[in-house]
Every structure is written in structure tokens, then in C-alpha cells.
Amino acid sequence: MSTTPKTLTLPVSTSRANPTPQPMKRLTVPRIRQRKGGEPLVMLTAYTVRMAQLMDPHCDMLLVGDSLAQVIYGLPHTVAVTMEMMALHGAAVVRGSYHAAVIVDMPFGSYEASPELAFTNASRLLKETGAAGVKVEGGKVIAPTIEFLTQRGIPVMGHVGLTPQAVNILGGYGVRGKSAAEARSIVEDAEAVAKAGAFAMVIEGVMEPIAIEITQKVDCPTIGIGASAQCDGQVLVAEDMLGLFDRTPKFVKRFGAMQEHVEDAVKKYAEDVRSRAFPSAEQLYRSE
């Protein structure tokens, strides 16, 4: 009798939303931390299954950012984002990815009041999404909460510099750290976040020397956005990078021109519908 083991054949999904992927091992938080000072980490925002599928093979991390407020929902800022929004979009991105570590933003009001509240909401996000970790904004003030979460098994990514959830206090989205006092405060924030146990941190919208100093001082990877090429990685809002918006911040480089492609495709579709050229015989069901 043959002793050759049988090959396990897995069912192949034909779903456009969730096709069977090639075997891939998802990047873990410890492996991300080990990239400090090594090959730069690639991170983009993602909010939907299909975008996650397209970006996943090329990214180390996918951030389900509360920037979905503006990008998906047309809100003026991130303050209005809810836990339900983050949970639903986070789960979608996890379903659409197999390689990148998925990190979900904690929305405004879900972690600031107490470490206990933060744990309740962070654990909910991890349970409902399957994400690898959460991201919180803030420095010295939020560091005890980061320590509380990490000691209880929740990986936390920090976020210092320009913190969009504090837009009402900051008075806008201008670059941070122009004065010596503010620059020193941002560096101290970053050191506190790293000491509290954050596995990585985003540095957003700061004068470049600040980002360089933080990257040199902290032992966790730094992810820049409007910071410095010397950070341990970079992140952008995908829709900005793809060129889907007319207006973007100074720190965005448009790597595509998707707005023009979408507008052109919609224009052609509208023309074909109005001229009755679509649908044609190729798109219709007719008896042979």
C-alpha cells in the first residue's frame, strides 16, 4: 500500500471580494520592531477590502486611519469618527490582506479618559477586526495609557507631532515644532511614548530636525508623514498618494493620477449610456 501522503487541496474562492490568496505569512509586531534602523517600513492607509488587496503585497503595514472621516465620509475632521466606523473598516481591511500587519486607529474619545476605557475599546477593536494593533495620538499625557495597554497584551503604535484629533486645540493642521520650546516638547513626547512600550510611532507634520532627533533617540521604529526620509518608514493616505484629490498637504507626493482616470472612465460610461451604445450585444443575455 502506498505511503505517499495525500496533498491537501483547499477550496478556491471565486469571490472578487475575498479570493484565495497565495500562501503568505503576515508580518508581526515583533518583526516590525526589529526593523528599527533597517530596511524602511512601507505603510499606507486602507479602508476597504479591495484597496487592501491591491496594496497588501507591497506594504509592511496597512493603517485603518481615522482619516476615513475625510476620505470616506466627507467629514471636516477626525473628531466625529466612531468606534463602529473603525471596527467595520478595520475588519474589511483585515479580510482583504494576508501579508501586511493591520493597525487600527483608536478614535477620539475612546481612550483619553482612562487606561481602563482605552483597554475596553482597544480590546474590542482587536476582537472585532483581527488587527495586529491599535494606534493612539499623544505624548507624555497618554504614555501611562500606552503602558497599561501593552502590559495587558495590546500592541500600541504611538503618534506624535501634529495630532489631528487635537485639531480644535491646535487651531489647524500647520507644521509643528517651529519654536525651540515646542520642538523640545515633541521630542519629550516621543521619548515618553517609546519608554511606555509603543512598538512603533508615527511622526507627523514636524520640522525635519525633530524627526531626525526622535528617530535617533527612540528604540522603536519611527514612521514619518511630513517628517523626514531618515525615519524608519513612511506612511501616506493612499488616496492622496494615488492622486484622487485636487488638494493635498505639502508632504504628499502624487505617485498616480487616479482622479483623471476615474473622471475619464465615468465620462465615457455616461456618453455610452446616453447614446445607447452600452450595453451592447457583448453585455446582454440572448438566446443562441
Side-chain angles (χ1 to χ4, degrees):
M1 187 173 73
S2 173
T3 58
T4 304
K6 292 183 178 180
T7 301
L8 178 63
T9 302
L10 297 176
V12 177
S13 169
T14 58
S15 167
R16 287 188 301 166
N18 195 21
T20 302
Q22 295 294 320
M24 300 182 79
K25 186 176 181 179
R26 198 182 286 276
L27 195 63
T28 62
V29 163
R31 288 175 61 201
I32 291 168
R33 192 173 187 111
Q34 290 168 7
R35 294 275 288 275
K36 175 69 179 180
E39 181 184 11
L41 290 155
V42 178
M43 189 176 192
L44 283 170
T45 61
Y47 317 109
T48 64
V49 168
R50 186 56 183 151
M51 289 299 288
Q53 289 171 336
L54 294 173
M55 294 187 286
D56 183 58
H58 311 286
C59 292
D60 299 303
M61 291 180 282
L62 294 175
L63 174 64
V64 186
D66 58 2
S67 49
L68 60 80
Q70 295 99 326
V71 175
I72 301 295
Y73 293 98
L75 296 168
H77 46 64
T78 63
V79 173
V81 171
T82 66
M83 282 287 294
E84 287 69 25
M85 290 178 184
M86 300 312 303
L88 288 170
H89 288 276
V93 171
V94 170
R95 285 195 296 270
S97 60
Y98 303 93
H99 165 256
V102 177
I103 310 301
V104 181
D105 266 345
M106 297 279 287
F108 178 73
S110 69
Y111 61 94
E112 296 90 341
S114 69
E116 291 78 12
L117 175 65
F119 180 81
T120 296
N121 287 320
S123 60
R124 173 189 168 185
L125 284 178
L126 295 191
K127 287 179 180 180
E128 294 186 13
T129 66
V134 298
K135 180 168 75 65
V136 300
E137 294 183 7
K140 296 180 286 290
V141 172
I142 209 67
T145 295
I146 294 175
E147 183 175 11
F148 187 91
L149 294 178
T150 57
Q151 288 179 348
R152 287 157 179 79
I154 296 180
V156 180
M157 175 179 285
H159 185 147
V160 300
L162 172 59
T163 49
Q165 291 178 6
V167 63
N168 291 324
I169 291 292
L170 298 176
Y173 296 102
V175 64
R176 316 307 300 177
K178 289 184 177 181
S179 71
E182 188 177 42
R184 183 169 59 254
S185 178
I186 293 170
V187 173
E188 291 172 354
D189 280 342
E191 290 178 312
V193 166
K195 185 177 180 181
F199 72 87
M201 75 176 72
V202 170
I203 306 174
E204 179 172 0
V206 301
M207 302 297 290
E208 185 183 24
I210 299 172
I212 295 173
E213 181 179 353
I214 291 172
T215 300
Q216 292 173 344
K217 283 187 172 181
V218 301
D219 61 0
C220 65
T222 58
I223 311 298
I225 176 167
S228 172
Q230 294 189 41
C231 290
D232 298 301
Q234 300 295 325
V235 63
L236 283 175
V237 171
E239 284 75 6
D240 286 341
M241 180 273 294
L242 291 169
L244 276 167
F245 290 106
D246 288 322
R247 297 178 61 188
T248 56
K250 171 184 171 63
F251 55 72
V252 171
K253 178 178 179 180
R254 289 166 61 107
F255 288 84
M258 294 303 296
Q259 177 177 318
E260 291 82 356
H261 289 299
V262 171
E263 289 177 338
D264 185 56
V266 173
K267 179 183 177 183
K268 290 177 180 176
Y269 167 72
E271 290 172 349
D272 278 12
V273 169
R274 292 182 178 121
S275 67
R276 299 190 186 279
F278 174 82
S280 66
E282 294 179 354
Q283 290 91 40
L284 295 175
Y285 301 98
R286 292 173 174 172
S287 59
E288 297 297 332

